[in-house]
């Protein structure tokens, strides 16, 4: 696959210089930088980061879950009835 981009001369100069520093071609440098940015972006959307306080609250809710509210109990009962009737 081919990818083309128009970039400002000063940006191209910086990219060329960075590629030279790493001993890579401009193409290899740009592909590696794009891949790194893509992985970082994906990770940032898939990993949930919680503060220490939020981690404790989450763990406490799992270990000591609150009782289900009446509406949830009613919904579960209605679901079970619906499933039994559909069989």
């Amino acid at each position: 696959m081919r990818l083309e981009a128009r970039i400002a001369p000063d940006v191209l100069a910086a990219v060329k210089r960075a590629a030279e520093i790493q001993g890579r071609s401009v193409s290899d440098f740009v592909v590696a930088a794009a891949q790194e940015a893509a992985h970082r972006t994906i990770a940032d959307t898939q990993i949930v980061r919680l503060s220490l306080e939020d981690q404790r609250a989450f763990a406490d809710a799992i270990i000591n879950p609150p009782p289900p509210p009446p509406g949830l109990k009613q919904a579960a009962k209605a679901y079970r009835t619906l499933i039994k009737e559909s069989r």
Side-chain angles (χ1 to χ4, degrees):
M1 177 180 184
R2 184 173 180 87
L3 176 68
E4 293 184 26
R6 295 182 191 272
I7 60 175
D10 59 323
V11 175
L12 179 58
V15 169
K16 283 181 176 180
R17 179 68 180 127
E20 288 173 6
I21 290 170
Q22 290 188 354
R24 297 179 173 201
S25 68
V26 170
S27 180
D28 185 47
F29 179 84
V30 169
V31 169
Q35 184 176 24
E36 181 182 330
H39 287 301
R40 189 172 45 251
T41 299
I42 292 167
D44 287 348
T45 61
Q46 292 182 341
I47 298 172
V48 176
R49 291 179 175 82
L50 300 174
S51 68
L52 186 56
E53 181 181 334
D54 290 338
Q55 291 176 40
R56 288 182 178 143
F58 180 76
D60 185 55
I62 291 174
I63 295 167
N64 303 305
L72 183 57
K73 288 181 179 181
Q74 291 172 349
K77 184 178 178 181
Y79 174 78
R80 283 192 297 273
T81 302
L82 180 65
I83 293 302
K84 284 180 186 177
E85 290 174 0
S86 67
R87 288 185 184 177

